[in-house]
């Protein structure tokens, strides 16, 4: 039984390594990309105001195209339809999120002496706030990302987010811990994002309390790091859990 458990843990860790390691190369590509609006970004900007009413749908894209004075068939700018719309939105969120973090680090001296945990909390709320206008339509986007052909896109965005938050928070964990920390954070973020889609409290106050509870749970696990088996099991369960919340069978 012990050998079987070890094999499963190693297998899961390899999956974590494969998907989470995409963040570094993706971040480099994003840093070198132009910020000038291209047709996709222009159409995204025109489409987003329609998402709260019409969802992450062809209807929203067609209305966005007409808003720009384009024929409705111009929604073809999003090559893969709704999936490309969600992909473009998440890329925009990453750019905006990184800019918000950079501004906060430059203008808030208290962040430089804050703990990694406090910075993770701050940066995570920043990212969740970007989702606010579309939160109650976000389950549609999650369903789109759960299609088998869209799973790599979904996991890449999640890996990039986890790496961005932990890197800017000051996490410089070596090797093994690097993967476990990011898998654990991805699980915390994904569960909080899912909670947010059902939250009807003012200013999403309940979502932020839920985030605090999840981060506190993760911190308790971190304190048990002396037991390598505990951390392995947490990393494995966290990664499998976040896959299931994305609608991916494991």
């Amino acid at each position: 039984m012990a050998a079987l458990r070890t094999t499963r843990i190693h297998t899961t860790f390899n999956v974590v390594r494969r998907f989470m390691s995409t963040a570094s190369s993706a971040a480099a590509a994003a840093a070198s990309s132009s910020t000038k609006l291209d047709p996709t970004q222009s159409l995204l900007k025109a489409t987003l105001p329609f998402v709260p009413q019409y969802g992450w749908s062809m209807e929203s894209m067609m209305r966005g195209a007409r808003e720009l004075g384009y024929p409705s068939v111009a929604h073809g700018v999003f090559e893969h339809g709704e999936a490309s719309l969600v992909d473009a939105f998440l890329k925009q969120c990453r750019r905006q999120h990184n800019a918000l973090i950079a501004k906060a680090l430059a203008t808030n001296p208290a962040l430089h002496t804050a703990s990694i945990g406090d910075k993770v909390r701050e940066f995570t709320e920043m990212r969740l706030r970007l989702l606010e206008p579309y939160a109650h339509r976000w389950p549609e986007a999650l369903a789109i990302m759960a299609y088998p052909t869209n799973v790599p896109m979904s996991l890449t965005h999640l890996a990039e987010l986890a790496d961005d938050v932990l890197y800017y928070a000051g996490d410089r964990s070596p090797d093994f811990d690097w993967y476990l920390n990011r898998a654990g954070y991805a699980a915390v973020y994904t569960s909080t994002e899912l909670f947010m889609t059902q939250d009807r409290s003012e200013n999403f106050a309940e979502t932020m309390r839920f985030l605090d509870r999840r981060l506190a749970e993760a911190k308790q696990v971190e304190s048990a790091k002396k037991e390598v088996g505990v951390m392995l099991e947490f990393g494995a369960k966290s990664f499998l859990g976040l896959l299931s919340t994305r609608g991916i069978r494991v």
Side-chain angles (χ1 to χ4, degrees), residues 13-220:
F13 175 72
N14 287 333
V15 174
V16 173
R17 183 186 184 100
R18 184 166 67 251
F19 283 114
M20 301 300 281
S21 62
T22 61
S24 58
S25 58
S32 63
S33 64
S34 172
T35 57
K36 186 177 179 180
L37 282 181
D38 61 23
T40 300
Q41 293 179 43
S42 297
L43 185 54
L44 173 65
K45 184 177 180 180
T47 297
L48 286 177
F50 296 104
V51 169
Q53 182 174 356
Y54 299 102
W56 301 90
S57 65
M58 196 67 69
E59 178 68 22
S60 291
M61 289 185 280
M62 291 172 63
R63 288 176 178 271
R66 287 199 292 266
E67 191 73 13
L68 293 173
Y70 298 157
S72 59
V73 294
H75 63 72
V77 167
F78 292 120
E79 183 179 0
H80 301 293
E82 293 90 341
S84 292
L85 173 62
V86 174
D87 183 41
F89 172 70
L90 290 173
K91 287 176 179 176
Q92 173 180 279
C93 282
R94 189 186 186 202
R95 291 191 298 270
Q96 293 174 338
H97 187 215
N98 285 347
L100 288 170
I101 291 174
K103 182 179 179 181
L105 290 172
T107 60
N108 186 357
L111 280 177
H112 295 283
T113 56
S115 67
I116 289 178
D118 287 343
K119 283 184 279 190
V120 166
R121 169 62 174 78
E122 180 79 10
F123 299 159
T124 302
E125 180 172 348
M126 286 180 185
R127 178 60 179 78
L128 289 168
R129 295 294 181 189
L130 293 175
L131 193 61
E132 276 188 349
Y134 321 103
H136 300 140
R137 285 287 192 170
W138 196 241
E140 299 171 18
L142 293 177
I144 290 167
M145 289 189 287
Y147 293 160
T149 54
N150 300 332
V151 167
M153 177 263 286
S154 175
L155 291 178
T156 294
H157 284 301
L158 196 56
E160 290 172 345
L161 172 60
D163 194 42
D164 288 344
V165 169
L166 290 176
Y167 177 83
Y168 286 117
D171 179 65
R172 300 294 186 271
S173 301
D175 301 329
F176 198 71
D177 286 347
W178 189 96
Y179 298 105
L180 292 176
N181 288 347
R182 280 151 179 78
Y185 175 81
V188 169
Y189 179 84
T190 303
S191 61
T192 306
E193 181 185 71
L194 193 61
F195 183 93
M196 188 179 191
T197 66
Q198 305 300 319
D199 186 4
R200 297 298 186 271
S201 64
E202 185 177 357
N203 202 32
F204 293 94
E206 289 300 324
T207 295
M208 301 312 153
R209 281 192 276 271
F210 180 86
L211 172 62
D212 289 337
R213 291 195 296 271
R214 290 307 314 272
L215 288 174
E217 291 168 5
K219 187 174 182 179
Q220 289 176 358

